[in-house]
Amino acid sequence: QVRLQQWGAGLLKPSETLSLTCAVFGGSFSPSYWNWIRQSPGKGLEWIGEITPSGSANYNPSLQSRVTMSVDTSKNQFSLKLISVTAADTAIYFCARGFPGDTAIIGLSYYYYYYMDVWGKGTTVTVSS
Amino acid sequence: DVRVTQSPSTLSASVGDRVTITCRTSESISSWLAWYQQKPGEAPKLLIHKASTLESGVASRFSGSGSGTEFSLTISSLQPDDFATYYCQQYKSYYSFGQGTKLEMK
């Protein structure tokens, strides 16, 4: 049974850097993708980005200029950094596993589709001066 | 990017009712849609993926249908534990979520 445990600073001042880490317990780091999502009253659930076990990352274009994700496979951990935070970044941040449980054959190619089946409990991050 | 529109935003119902929540996407996503249930103070919980595939351990009163751009989640007979907020999410092109439907007790 895969479990995600996340941690990081919960109170930041404007212009500081948000830093969160998520550890994976009870399962293999591969072949899943590892995601960060945030939830705020104003914007609902917003996908921040994903990272593969090999370290390849994709980010939400709306946050791409400020986001960096990294992975440490030796510790089964992945991390999120968001620079230059403002009050608009106040939210609950979740980590989640993107599991390649769905597949499709298109032409001669085989594709995997990743849905989020395991989530961390969330970390409340408040940005305030 | 794929936009996801969910309706209604709030739904009032009673135990035993059959309820349906609708999700529309701005472009065809085939069946790459998931439904989640979220209770206050908790993370979203996966109910359904691939539009209609029930996640292991989820009660059979939950069902999903649809493909292309129109999808629905149906709860056949509401139980007290089902009062929560429900979200749909497309995962054909990265991820995007609906705005949520709060299912409240009438």
Side-chain angles (χ1 to χ4, degrees), chain A residues 54-90:
Chain A
S54 63
S56 176
N58 296 295
Y59 304 130
N60 186 322
S62 68
L63 297 167
Q64 185 159 4
S65 63
R66 298 193 292 130
V67 172
T68 303
M69 294 175 65
S70 60
V71 64
D72 185 340
T73 54
S74 68
K75 296 181 179 179
N76 273 15
Q77 294 177 2
F78 60 105
S79 298
L80 168 71
K81 287 193 190 303
L82 179 68
I83 66 171
S84 304
V85 298
T86 69
D89 295 310
T90 294

Side-chain angles (χ1 to χ4, degrees), chain A residues 39 47 102 114-116 120, chain B residues 36 38 43 49 87 91 94-95:
Chain A
Q39 184 173 33
W47 175 70
D102 291 336
Y114 296 71
Y115 52 86
M116 298 179 188
Chain B
Y36 297 87
Q38 187 179 31
H49 62 94
Y87 295 93
Y91 53 99
Y94 298 122
Y95 303 94

Side-chain angles (χ1 to χ4, degrees), chain B residues 72-94:
Chain B
S72 62
L73 171 71
T74 297
I75 309 173
S76 60
S77 178
L78 269 176
Q79 299 301 301
D81 191 49
D82 299 338
F83 292 97
T85 301
Y86 293 84
Y87 295 93
C88 56
Q89 176 211 49
Q90 68 82 22
Y91 53 99
K92 176 180 183 287
S93 175
Y94 298 122

Side-chain angles (χ1 to χ4, degrees), chain B residues 3 9 40 43 65 76 87 101 105-106:
Chain B
R3 294 181 302 281
S9 55
S65 65
S76 60
Y87 295 93
T101 295
M105 204 173 296
K106 188 183 290 184

